[in-house]
Amino acid sequence: DAGITQSPRHKVTETGTPVTLRCHQTENHRYMYWYRQDPGHGLRLIHYSYGVKDTDKGEVSDGYSVSRSKTEDFLLTLESATSSQTSVYFCAISEWTSGSTDTQYFGPGTRLTVL
Amino acid sequence: AQSVAQPEDQVNVAEGNPLTVKCTYSVSGNPYLFWYVQYPNRGLQFLLKYITGDNLVKGSYGFEAEFNKSQTSFHLKKPSALVSDSALYFCAVRYDKIIFGKGTRLHILP
């Protein structure tokens, strides 16, 4: 999976608790992304980062925050988890430079269940 | 606004037969187009991409895709399907941002 790890791989939590998912890359890519995958919806972008401390919202960012203090780590936080955030979360990386095409490479995913 | 559509939720093909997974897109300019594959309990894996040039793009595992600008399509194809090709396939388009289709589940029947 292109030097990308996600932790934890599985998590069960209760409504109202905070949850942090971690994405770690060894490729030194500039761009990092968080997606959620749900049946019937495909992949939807939550947040992305274009550098250390540089982040922006995706199409489903409500209820989520992110942080990137180092090139290799991108954290996704659910401040107060809800059942609607039960999903599989994928991290992706890419290198968008002149001549490249922003091919994204994905981590193995984190399955989150909110009870 | 840019968009991408995969009109079939599921495609069934007999092993050894040719397969096609359809993708259409809508963007105002010249897009980059991608196909990804997802096996059970795994992340998406890059298969192939179209940037410019030859309309027929070859990728991993014997897959290819044909870019058709007039029909705004980028269908994924393989001449002879294998049971191991059974998976979930995603088309994606990038213009100012990348958008993924909802996925097509491909079943190859032995």
Side-chain angles (χ1 to χ4, degrees):
Chain A
D1 291 313
I4 309 168
T5 57
Q6 293 184 231
S7 59
R9 294 293 314 278
H10 302 271
K11 185 170 183 66
V12 180
T13 191
E14 293 187 349
T15 299
T17 60
V19 176
T20 295
L21 308 183
R22 180 180 183 241
C23 177
H24 178 79
Q25 61 146 328
T26 59
E27 307 296 324
N28 200 37
H29 280 9
R30 178 183 176 189
Y31 290 81
M32 298 185 75
Y33 309 81
W34 277 109
Y35 292 90
R36 58 178 291 174
Q37 183 180 21
D38 304 288
H41 291 278
L43 265 73
R44 292 181 291 175
L45 182 65
I46 304 171
H47 281 280
Y48 68 99
S49 169
Y50 47 96
V52 174
K53 299 190 187 302
D54 293 323
T55 65
D56 205 349
K57 296 178 180 180
E59 64 176 300
V60 290
S61 60
D62 287 349
Y64 301 95
S65 62
V66 291
S67 66
R68 192 169 179 199
S69 59
K70 298 185 290 184
T71 298
E72 57 266 36
D73 289 326
F74 192 33
L75 303 181
L76 176 71
T77 297
L78 291 65
E79 302 290 347
S80 178
T82 68
S83 58
S84 64
Q85 294 176 311
T86 293
S87 186
V88 181
Y89 291 86
F90 288 100
C91 175
I93 65 173
S94 73
E95 193 59 58
W96 180 247
T97 60
S98 175
S100 77
T101 55
D102 194 25
T103 300
Q104 297 194 6
Y105 299 94
F106 286 79
T110 294
R111 184 174 296 275
L112 176 66
T113 302
V114 183
L115 302 176
Chain B
Q2 62 183 73
S3 65
V4 59
Q6 295 181 241
E8 301 155 318
D9 291 337
Q10 182 167 311
V11 172
N12 297 321
V13 178
E15 186 176 26
N17 284 2
L19 69 86
T20 298
V21 183
K22 296 180 180 177
C23 173
T24 60
Y25 66 92
S26 174
V27 297
S28 57
N30 296 316
Y32 296 152
L33 295 158
F34 303 83
W35 275 102
Y36 288 82
V37 60
Q38 185 181 31
Y39 298 102
N41 300 313
R42 300 289 300 276
L44 279 68
Q45 296 179 30
F46 170 72
L47 271 181
L48 51 80
K49 64 186 176 186
Y50 172 81
I51 308 168
T52 185
D54 193 348
N55 289 342
L56 186 64
V57 179
K58 294 187 183 296
S60 306
Y61 311 122
F63 283 94
E64 58 190 27
E66 185 171 11
F67 172 65
N68 188 317
K69 188 171 185 177
S70 63
Q71 297 186 5
T72 61
S73 68
F74 189 56
H75 300 333
L76 182 70
K77 301 181 179 184
K78 188 173 182 181
S80 179
L82 300 172
V83 172
S84 57
D85 293 330
S86 297
L88 187 57
Y89 290 80
F90 290 95
C91 180
V93 59
R94 194 195 198 287
Y95 184 56
D96 60 341
K97 58 183 177 181
I98 191 165
I99 293 179
F100 287 84
K102 295 184 178 181
T104 298
R105 191 164 298 280
L106 178 63
H107 284 289
I108 306 303
L109 308 171

